Amino acid sequence: IAGITQAPTSQILAAGRRMTLRCTQDMRHNAMYWYRQDLGLGLRLIHYSNTAGTTGKGEVPDGYSVSRANTDDFPLTLASAVPSQTSVYFCASSGNEGSDTQYFGPGTRLTVL
Amino acid sequence: GQNIDQPTEMTATEGAIVQINCTYQTSGFNGLFWYQQHAGEAPTFLSYNVLDGLEEKGRFSSFLSRSKGYSYLLLKELQMKDSASYLCAVRDSDYKLSFGAGTTVTVRA
């Protein structure tokens, strides 16, 4: 693994289903982030984690949850997906608990029908 | 919170120069970033300004005026591969990034 990986690359999901998007980084970065990107709105922060064991809410946290059990992994869970959660999801990480530049994973394209 | 504005689209000719402006209103400023994003790909880091002035990196330069809440990204000697979206992002005192909606630059031959 080099950098940040995300899985799946894309997914079509029925409304009401539970879904976990995976994010793994091998750069030993303290801070990790989840964003969604929608046309005309830019990237919006969903949740973040400054260090393993801690998480915080971003601008649009409703309907999403995260966990940070270790440094490398930061999964994002949609407990009961709704069509408005159709988006492209990017995971990012940065060193020094967020004071360094953020680097992005390749993204997951999620469609909720 | 942050309010970040940048133009939606710009078109320029190969070999020309394009300047993408970004204005922001912030409750706490801790740096401004520019990212490039090609269609269907992840954003990639271009530049970072935290002090006033110009930062130059090859064909790309970025300028910041904190008193005016203003930055620009200058792309020189445009190439076809520069066709992409350019995202302005402001970092707050908690190290969180807020992004503008992005400027789509189209380079024509």
Side-chain angles (χ1 to χ4, degrees), chain B residues 28-40:
Chain B
F29 180 82
N30 194 8
L32 188 142
F33 293 79
W34 286 95
Y35 284 82
Q36 180 189 58
Q37 186 177 24
H38 285 100

Side-chain angles (χ1 to χ4, degrees), chain A residues 37 48 98-99 101-102 105, chain B residues 35 37 42 45 91 95-97:
Chain A
Q37 187 174 38
Y48 64 93
S99 64
T101 299
Q102 289 187 25
Chain B
Y35 284 82
Q37 186 177 24
F45 169 72
R91 187 168 66 183
Y95 301 127
K96 302 300 171 290
L97 287 183

Side-chain angles (χ1 to χ4, degrees), chain B residues 20-88:
Chain B
I20 306 169
N21 296 324
C22 173
T23 59
Y24 63 89
Q25 295 171 315
T26 177
S27 58
F29 180 82
N30 194 8
L32 188 142
F33 293 79
W34 286 95
Y35 284 82
Q36 180 189 58
Q37 186 177 24
H38 285 100
E41 298 183 7
T44 55
F45 169 72
L46 282 180
S47 69
Y48 167 65
N49 296 70
V50 67
L51 300 176
D52 290 351
L54 189 68
E55 293 283 341
E56 297 188 81
K57 261 192 195 181
R59 295 188 299 112
F60 293 1
S61 303
S62 57
F63 172 83
L64 175 67
S65 169
R66 289 172 295 171
S67 62
K68 295 182 179 177
Y70 169 71
S71 173
Y72 67 72
L73 179 69
L74 195 69
L75 286 62
K76 294 177 279 190
E77 300 169 19
L78 278 173
Q79 302 176 9
M80 298 301 288
K81 67 179 182 179
D82 298 331
S83 292
S85 286
Y86 293 85
L87 314 179
C88 174

